[in-house]
């Protein structure tokens, strides 16, 4: 069944901005008749901690949010990512890349490509060249993109067209890349509505394109505005009492509800009070 989701990375406590995104992800799903899923994005083994996964899920429950079980973890889904890569590779849609970060930074990007885009260095190496390079370094696997621009539909931003890079799908050390995992997971879980912070808006066109290349219709998106501190920087734990370690769920609801222009203090009340047209498009400057 088509679904919506919230997909936190368990690398810290959820702060007010993250909690608000979670509440909005729940609202988008339920107000459109979709089940709501939670996925633990613990692909980054260095930064992810089981105790943060536990506290994040407990925080969502404390806000009254309910989700479908089971909660899936990216760290347990490598075979799925590998299978998707195999399919893309069989279709000629990947290539081995031997470039270092520095080589990419120093190379001249293709005309019209944004700065930092992959310059295409390894796209057309022949088998002999690849064999020679493999002896020096384990290659990353990149997407052989067939389009350079893709348009997504976003409930808050309208149609957004962005650059499609030859994304890294698997790093040289064998780790699957976030861009692959997020796309494969959403496709596998039937997620057709992606709600998340607008810091990821720039990544959405290439992710939607990759979804398309996997033979799945790209989701619709809603990139919601971020929470900022008084200085206009992205809210962080050091800004004060911004997590449920220091705030009661009631206080968090008061603040988040006010930021959305509603008095709702529960998910159900939000279904009655919130509507898409009045959702704020501007960042939420949190004053405590
Ligand atoms: N795991 C990402 C984060 O916590 C969100 C990715 C997504 O929602 O697609 O920033």
């Amino acid at each position: 069944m088509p679904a919506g989701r919230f997909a936190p990375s368990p690398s810290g406590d959820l702060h007010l901005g993250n909690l608000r995104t979670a509440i909005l992800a729940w609202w988008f799903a339920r107000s459109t008749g979709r089940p709501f899923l939670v996925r633990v994005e613990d692909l980054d083994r260095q930064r992810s901690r089981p105790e943060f996964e536990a506290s994040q899920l407990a925080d969502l429950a404390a806000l009254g949010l309910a989700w479908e079980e089971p909660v899936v973890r990216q760290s347990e889904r490598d075979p799925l990512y590998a299978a998707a890569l195999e399919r893309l590779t069989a279709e000629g849609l990947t290539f081995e890349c031997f470039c270092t970060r520095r080589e990419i930074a120093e190379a001249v990007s293709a005309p019209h490509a944004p700065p930092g885009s992959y310059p295409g260095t390894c796209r057309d190496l022949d088998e002999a060249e690849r064999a020679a390079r493999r002896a020096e370094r384990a290659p990353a696997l990149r997407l052989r993109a067939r389009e350079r621009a893709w348009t997504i539909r976003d409930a808050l931003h309208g149609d957004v067209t962005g650059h499609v890079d030859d994304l890294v799908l698997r790093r040289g050390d064998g780790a699957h890349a976030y861009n692959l995992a997020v796309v494969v997971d959403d496709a596998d879980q039937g997620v057709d509505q992606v709600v998340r912070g607008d810091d990821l808006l720039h990544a959405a066109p290439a992710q939607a394109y990759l979804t398309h290349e996997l033979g799945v219709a790209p989701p619709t998106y809603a990139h919601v505005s971020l929470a900022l501190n008084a200085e206009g920087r992205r809210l962080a734990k050091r800004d004060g009492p911004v997590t449920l370690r220091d705030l009661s769920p009631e206080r968090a609801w008061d603040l988040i509800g006010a930021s959305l222009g509603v008095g709702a203090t529960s998910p159900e009340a939000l279904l009655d009070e919130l509507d898409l047209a009045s959702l704020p498009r501007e960042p939420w400057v949190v004053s405590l």
Side-chain angles (χ1 to χ4, degrees):
M1 194 194 310
R5 50 67 158 186
F6 179 59
S9 304
S11 54
D13 279 317
L14 299 172
H15 60 53
L16 281 167
N18 310 129
L19 297 171
R20 182 179 187 252
T21 301
I23 285 173
L24 286 173
W26 182 94
W27 177 80
F28 267 99
R30 301 310 306 276
S31 66
T32 56
R34 290 172 167 86
F36 176 62
L37 312 179
V38 174
R39 182 171 71 234
V40 176
E41 298 210 317
D42 56 354
L43 210 57
D44 183 340
R45 314 278 161 105
Q46 307 294 327
R47 301 183 59 217
S48 301
R49 300 262 182 283
E51 55 272 30
F52 287 129
E53 174 189 322
S55 69
Q56 291 184 344
L57 294 176
D59 288 355
L60 299 181
L63 292 177
L65 300 176
W67 56 88
E68 307 293 318
E69 296 291 348
V71 169
V72 307
R73 283 182 201 90
Q74 289 187 325
S75 59
E76 295 169 356
R77 291 162 71 82
D78 267 335
L80 205 67
Y81 310 142
L85 267 187
E86 234 167 77
R87 275 182 44 206
L88 290 168
T89 299
E91 290 168 35
L93 290 174
T94 65
F95 65 93
E96 289 175 314
C97 172
F98 301 88
C99 296
T100 61
R101 260 172 226 260
R102 163 182 256 184
E103 283 164 349
I104 293 170
E106 288 172 353
V108 180
S109 301
H112 311 302
S117 303
Y118 182 65
T121 320
C122 297
R123 241 180 109 105
D124 299 313
L125 297 181
D126 64 29
E127 181 48 37
E129 288 167 316
R130 286 201 302 270
R133 301 291 305 272
R134 270 186 221 122
E136 296 161 22
R137 175 180 304 144
L141 214 54
R142 283 184 183 269
L143 173 68
R144 184 183 294 281
R146 299 189 276 193
E147 303 281 347
R148 281 295 167 224
W150 200 255
T151 301
I152 61 152
R153 176 140 298 175
D154 189 289
L156 295 164
H157 297 264
D159 285 355
V160 177
T161 302
H163 176 72
V164 175
D165 207 14
D166 289 340
L167 299 174
V168 171
L169 303 176
R170 192 181 66 206
R171 301 193 321 226
D173 66 4
H176 293 115
Y178 166 71
N179 278 317
L180 175 70
V182 69
V183 161
V184 170
D185 282 336
D186 283 336
D188 174 71
Q189 295 188 279
V191 169
D192 68 342
Q193 178 192 63
V194 167
V195 180
R196 59 189 181 185
D198 64 12
D199 54 329
L200 285 169
L201 179 59
H202 72 97
Q207 291 174 358
Y209 169 71
L210 179 55
T211 307
H212 167 79
E213 288 292 31
L214 287 167
V216 175
T220 60
Y221 294 87
H223 287 90
V224 303
S225 55
L226 295 182
L228 305 180
N229 67 15
E231 283 85 52
R233 278 192 292 273
R234 216 192 274 195
L235 193 70
K237 235 165 124 175
R238 62 177 171 280
D239 290 320
V242 295
T243 75
L244 294 190
R245 307 290 79 70
D246 304 309
L247 286 172
S248 67
E250 292 73 26
R251 175 81 178 130
W253 263 108
D254 284 344
L255 291 164
I256 292 167
S259 83
L260 299 171
V262 296
T265 56
S266 71
E268 285 65 34
L270 209 58
L271 286 180
D272 293 331
E273 293 183 35
L274 197 61
D275 61 77
L276 182 58
S278 60
L279 264 191
R281 301 327 201 237
E282 298 305 309
W284 174 29
V285 180
V286 179
S287 49
L288 293 160

